[in-house]
Amino acid sequence: MEQQVVRHPGGFPVVGIIGGGQLARMCQPPAVGLSLTLAVLAEAPDASAALVVPASPVGAHDDLETVREFARACDVVTFDHEHVPAEVLAALEADGVELHPRPSALLYAQDKLAMRERLTGIGVRCPRWARVDSVADLGEFGADVGFPLVLKTPRGGYDGKGVRVVADAAEAADWFERAADEGLLAEEQVAFTRELAVLVARSPSGQAAAWPVVETVQTGGICTEVIAPAPDLDAALAATVTAAALQVAGELDVTGVMAVELFEVAGASGPDYVVNELAMRPHNSGHWTIDGAVTSQFEQHLRAVLDLPLGDPHSRAPWTVMGNVLGGDAPEHAELYSTYRHLLARDPGLKMHLYGKQVRPGRKIGHVTVFGDDLADLRERADHATGYLRGTITE
Ligand code: ADP
């Protein structure tokens, strides 16, 4: 594994990130500002982050010796994703590597069953759920909460993969065959009014900060738009979910940025919430903060993992809208640069964030952000830009 880490003069540390995706990539601009050196353990030489971080050795995140060697050059190590195996994390911790979040916290973002058990234990509201090991277990749970219900693989899911709605227990037989001893997570299907997310950061010494609660809009199981702050959100609910996220961060001893994905539901005495899941890293629901907040989630994550004082999480504008750019179907749209002349001329306030990824249909290849006073106008502009980049709008 070839690796060259050049430290900036002046005692600035090296922050290592395992995984070379867009999250690691978007840590680079604030790292430059803070004069930190980033090192990235990348999947390939053309991984999203490897294109912008000079110290990007290529290596497997699940190979202990590779990860060990990578960690040796770093002062602190954090993550672009949640897929580093528990055995590798345990060995690094035993080596004395400064890991953030720590494996004992990260577990609750890696394993949805462990997360449900822990959140329920500390009194944070979740959908009704059960661990199910067989079609019979699922039938029993379904008799209790009703079908259809939602079945999830505890580990390894993303963008709705590993989540399925089942109309009856027998339908899920194939998943039980594959689940082996791990078990599956069954949840009631929540009749939510919308999806929200709370993003918080917490440092090892316990300082914490929360950004405004956002609404996340999903299309076909993928988040396509984030609105900050969530429009017309009940003030008491905003305070409740923010307090719940800070409680989770504190009780689980989370270090770095954590996103809590929520469902807003109509409760008996007004709007209420249940938690969907946790992510312990910068998150798609926080991309708006790059342009829309005083401190972005990427800068905050770097500050938090280094135990530096946290930055101000407030918004810079009344509204910020982030639109995810998904890859289009038409081959001619692989040449994304050709969209710039029209897009940048049409909307000088549009902020582009492309990830340097090959265009594949439906793949998240970037996002755009707009901010200002008029929410309807901002949504229209973000929607136009993402549609144009995807090739579904041609002018
Ligand atoms: P992933 O880990 O792939 O992001 P999630 O657990 O976030 O999976 O689920 C993906 C989507 O499926 C959610 O954004 C939501 O729209 C829907 N979903 C998940 N759990 C439930 C549930 N219990 N009730 C209703 N919808 C759900």
Side-chain angles (χ1 to χ4, degrees), residues 45 194 228 259 271 318 323:
R194 60 175 165 175

Side-chain angles (χ1 to χ4, degrees), residues 97 143 272 328:
V97 174
D272 208 341

